[in-house]
């Protein structure tokens, strides 16, 4: 395995990254891809493409403010899943911000249009050190379960993260 990383802004594989994004997340779960690219120009937003050699395997999209890293999107190409690539992507994020709490949200399996897919997603995160917080948030009219790695979950910290992050977007 020859794991490589590049910023999406510098990638020549934009259409492939967009394809992985669009096939990994339903339209109502995300933002238009062009918006992701625009927001990734903010210094607190990170958008990376991951390769095995020259073959695109997936991407990550996350924000960082103070001691919080919030993973908004992480996806591995359908044909490359269950081969250890997702763990490598999580390890990369952890390496960049080793002392940060890493937070992400997932749609609860029981409320999901695809129970099997959601259950596998949650199991993947739990196997990679994330913990259930027993907290939920509503985003885009959907209830999402909050998972955390590297610390204790505090609602106030997440609220401040979004407040600080939003101030940069305006």
């Amino acid at each position: 395995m020859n794991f490589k990383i590049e910023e999406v802004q510098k990638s020549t594989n934009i259409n492939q990254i967009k394809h992985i994004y669009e096939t990994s997340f339903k339209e109502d779960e995300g933002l238009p891809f062009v918006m992701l690219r625009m927001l990734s120009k903010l210094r607190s937003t990170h958008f990376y493409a991951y390769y095995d050699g020259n073959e695109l395997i997936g991407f990550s999209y996350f924000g960082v403010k103070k001691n919080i890293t919030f993973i908004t999107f992480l996806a591995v190409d359908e044909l490359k899943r269950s081969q250890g690539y997702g763990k490598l992507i999580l390890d990369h994020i952890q390496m960049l911000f080793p002392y940060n709490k890493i937070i992400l949200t997932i749609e609860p399996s029981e409320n999901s249009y695809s129970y099997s897919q959601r259950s596998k997603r949650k199991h993947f995160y739990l196997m990679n050190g994330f913990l259930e917080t027993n907290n939920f948030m509503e985003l885009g009219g959907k209830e999402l379960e909050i998972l955390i790695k590297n610390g204790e979950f505090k609602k106030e910290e997440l609220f401040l993260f979004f407040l600080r992050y939003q101030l940069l977007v305006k």
Side-chain angles (χ1 to χ4, degrees):
M1 181 182 309
N2 185 9
F3 193 61
K4 296 180 189 175
I5 304 157
E6 76 176 345
E7 292 179 24
V8 168
Q9 293 296 343
K10 298 175 182 174
S11 179
T12 58
N13 295 308
I14 295 299
N15 289 333
Q16 287 178 288
I17 296 165
K18 181 179 179 184
H19 175 75
I20 293 172
Y21 174 69
E22 290 175 346
T23 57
S24 297
F25 301 97
K26 286 176 53 176
E27 193 174 319
D28 65 345
E29 292 179 326
L31 298 168
F33 188 75
V34 68
M35 182 72 92
L36 291 182
R37 291 189 62 203
M38 286 175 28
L39 290 173
S40 72
K41 293 179 182 178
L42 298 172
R43 67 186 154 118
S44 59
T45 303
H46 304 268
F47 197 5
Y48 291 102
Y50 300 90
Y51 298 84
D52 188 349
N54 293 323
E55 190 173 6
L56 178 68
I57 56 165
F59 72 88
S60 66
Y61 183 91
F62 57 95
V64 178
K65 287 307 294 167
K66 295 211 176 226
N67 68 330
I68 303 281
T69 299
F70 187 88
I71 299 175
T72 310
F73 300 106
L74 185 154
V76 173
D77 184 283
E78 279 183 285
L79 302 174
K80 312 249 182 309
R81 292 182 186 153
S82 299
Q83 297 178 36
Y85 293 122
K87 180 180 179 359
L88 289 173
I89 293 171
L90 286 174
D91 289 348
H92 171 249
I93 296 168
Q94 179 72 64
M95 180 198 69
L96 290 174
F97 304 98
Y99 304 108
N100 279 15
K101 293 180 182 182
I102 302 175
I103 299 174
L104 57 84
T105 59
I106 60 172
E107 189 173 327
S109 300
E110 59 274 5
N111 298 342
S112 177
Y113 61 90
S114 174
Y115 177 81
S116 174
Q117 179 187 30
R118 300 298 173 162
S119 292
K120 287 179 185 176
R121 186 175 290 166
K122 183 173 183 177
H123 179 74
F124 164 76
Y125 287 119
L126 294 176
M127 292 300 294
N128 280 282
F130 284 83
L131 302 172
E132 295 173 315
T133 65
N134 297 315
N135 283 275
F136 296 82
M137 65 184 277
E138 189 172 312
L139 194 62
K142 288 186 175 188
E143 182 178 65
L144 300 170
E145 182 178 2
I146 300 170
L147 303 179
I148 190 167
K149 182 177 181 180
N150 300 338
E152 183 182 328
F153 177 73
K154 296 178 183 168
K155 289 180 184 180
E156 306 78 33
E157 287 180 328
L158 187 58
F159 175 78
L160 286 173
F161 169 85
F162 283 117
L163 183 63
R164 289 178 183 125
Y165 191 80
Q166 182 181 353
L167 292 175
L168 286 175
V169 175
K170 289 184 176 183

